Amino acid sequence: MTNTLVPPAGPQRVLALAQLANSVGDGAFYVTSALYFTHVVGLDPARVGLGLTVAWAVGSLAGVPLGRLADRRGARGTAVLLAVATGVAVASFLVVRGFWPFVAAAVGYATAQSGLAAARQALLAGLVSAGERTGLLAHLQSTLNAGLAVGAGLGGLALHLGTRGAYLGVFALDAVAFVVCAAVLLRLPSVAPVAPLRGPGLAVLRDRPYVVLTALNSVLLLRMPLLSLGLPLWIAERTEAPAWLVSALFVLNTGAVMAFQVRMARGVSGIASAVRAVRRSGWVMLAACAVFALSAGAPVRVAVGALVVGAVLQVVAEMGQSAGSWQLSFDLAPADRVGEYQGLFGTGVTVARTAGPLVLTALLVQWGPPGWLLLGGVTLAASWAMGPAARWAAASRTGVVRAA
């Protein structure tokens, strides 16, 4: 494994190109969508938030059956169809003029996105050996950040122009990006369906150890809205730091993941090393939260220094947690249900994005420094609980009952 953005030639590189294609479009979409729906379409911001919450709730529920579909019908074909469906859903935003059409389009978008994520994980599992998966996922995460950065720049240009045509161009770009993603995925070898599947349909929902593992990972993923919501609100409401620091910390995070995620994943090669990586990330995240808390009410230079140091610690924790959780999510899933299990594990992202704004606002803006310490403590507890949960899940895979 090399510490570069470009993975080895073959299926791994094709998967990275597909990731790059849709992440550029998504980067542009993410930075412009809120203003497009409110300023161009004319929807009330509260209704936009409600519609997106409903959409992602539906999408998270759809991830498991769509992942199962990838297992049963073939991961490549399912991923291609869902990539095209995502593009169509994005394109439908171009003609949305009211709340209910917006909700319908958002539900279609979230459902296709959730299913695509699960299908691509199943595709990856079918094309890449178990020992190479975490390394490839590290490459894909670096590629994702590079694509989002480019897309965010294009979206920023649309925001600068501020015209309806500029916004529509961004949405058209995102729609085309998913069609390109589908075309790139077609270059991959097909993955034979895994059939017949053992046990009842959607067995992952009855797999209590894996459900617990997913729930704990959802807690750890509360770091996701931290950079986009928690820290900006903290900087604005509780510190003397300048507002431009929000952008600087985002660039720091994105650049660090691009440069170091592959290296951080090198030592993760099995359940034991994955658990160690997650637990180390919990301690680092606790330290990051403690340093962030020091910025409250401090002089400008002290506040800026604390925020930068905290951001460095946070991204180190993020990369360790990502590598460990990727390994666990694959190693503890049955070989004949990878898509189905990845569909459930992927709901952690939706849960974090849905619950994160409320949780982080209450902890950080309302509670202040004690809220940071509580967030760090909860993260540490969840990271250490991943160990017993992983042993429980491993024992259930082999039929051996052992104490967790």
Side-chain angles (χ1 to χ4, degrees), residues 240-257:
E240 301 298 323
W244 57 259
L245 189 62
V246 173
S247 177
L249 295 182
F250 182 85
V251 172
L252 185 154
N253 180 278
T254 303
V257 173

Side-chain angles (χ1 to χ4, degrees), residues 11-12 14-15 18 67 70-71 74-80 115-129 133 136 140 181-182 184-192 330 338-340 342:
Q12 297 192 35
V14 175
L15 285 167
D71 292 330
R76 188 188 68 171
T78 303
V80 168
L116 176 59
R120 285 167 67 158
Q121 295 292 72
L123 182 58
L124 183 152
L127 295 174
V128 180
S129 66
R133 290 172 189 167
L136 175 58
L140 295 181
C181 172
V184 173
L185 291 174
L186 279 173
R187 296 171 52 191
L188 290 167
S190 61
V191 174
F330 278 106
V338 173
E340 179 181 333
Q342 288 297 318

Side-chain angles (χ1 to χ4, degrees), residues 267-294:
V268 180
S269 58
I271 293 176
S273 59
V275 168
R276 288 194 296 270
V278 172
R279 285 180 167 177
R280 282 195 300 268
S281 76
W283 284 110
V284 177
M285 190 63 191
L286 175 61
C289 289
V291 174
F292 280 136
L294 295 176

Side-chain angles (χ1 to χ4, degrees), residues 32 36 40 94 97 154 157-159 161-173:
T32 58
Y36 171 76
V40 177
L94 296 171
R97 296 294 181 270
L154 296 173
L157 178 60
L159 292 175
L161 295 173
T163 64
R164 180 184 183 87
Y167 283 108
L168 294 179
V170 165
F171 278 72
L173 170 67

Side-chain angles (χ1 to χ4, degrees), residues 17-309:
L17 288 174
Q19 178 79 290
L20 181 64
N22 74 254
S23 62
V24 169
D26 274 347
F29 175 84
Y30 291 154
V31 300
T32 58
S33 57
L35 290 180
Y36 171 76
F37 293 130
T38 55
H39 291 183
V40 177
V41 179
L43 299 177
D44 179 74
R47 301 192 85 189
V48 171
L50 174 62
L52 291 176
T53 298
V54 170
W56 283 110
V58 174
S60 66
L61 295 176
V64 174
L66 288 174
R68 179 176 170 83
L69 179 67
D71 292 330
R72 292 181 67 94
R73 301 299 181 186
R76 188 188 68 171
T78 303
V80 168
L81 289 175
L82 288 170
V84 172
T86 307
V88 171
V90 173
S92 69
F93 286 129
L94 296 171
V95 297
V96 163
R97 296 294 181 270
F99 176 68
W100 290 112
F102 160 71
V103 172
V107 167
Y109 173 76
T111 299
Q113 277 272 47
S114 297
L116 176 59
R120 285 167 67 158
Q121 295 292 72
L123 182 58
L124 183 152
L127 295 174
V128 180
S129 66
E132 297 178 307
R133 290 172 189 167
T134 296
L136 175 58
L137 285 165
H139 278 295
L140 295 181
Q141 187 71 6
S142 297
T143 304
L144 171 67
N145 277 265
L148 290 176
V150 173
L154 296 173
L157 178 60
L159 292 175
H160 175 71
L161 295 173
T163 64
R164 180 184 183 87
Y167 283 108
L168 294 179
V170 165
F171 278 72
L173 170 67
D174 196 20
V176 171
F178 277 100
V179 175
V180 173
C181 172
V184 173
L185 291 174
L186 279 173
R187 296 171 52 191
L188 290 167
S190 61
V191 174
V194 182
L197 296 175
R198 300 189 301 270
L202 303 185
V204 65
L205 300 180
R206 300 175 178 82
D207 189 337
R208 288 183 293 174
Y210 201 87
V211 170
V212 170
L213 199 76
T214 299
L216 291 171
N217 191 60
S218 300
V219 174
L220 299 179
L221 288 176
L222 286 175
R223 60 170 173 75
M224 296 183 66
L226 183 63
L227 200 64
S228 61
L229 178 71
L231 274 175
L233 290 177
W234 172 260
I235 290 172
E237 299 293 332
R238 290 280 189 162
T239 79
E240 301 298 323
W244 57 259
L245 189 62
V246 173
S247 177
L249 295 182
F250 182 85
V251 172
L252 185 154
N253 180 278
T254 303
V257 173
M258 289 172 57
F260 300 111
Q261 180 67 81
V262 174
R263 181 178 297 175
M264 289 288 292
R266 281 179 175 173
V268 180
S269 58
I271 293 176
S273 59
V275 168
R276 288 194 296 270
V278 172
R279 285 180 167 177
R280 282 195 300 268
S281 76
W283 284 110
V284 177
M285 190 63 191
L286 175 61
C289 289
V291 174
F292 280 136
L294 295 176
S295 65
V300 173
R301 290 185 179 181
V302 175
V304 170
L307 290 165
V308 171
V309 172

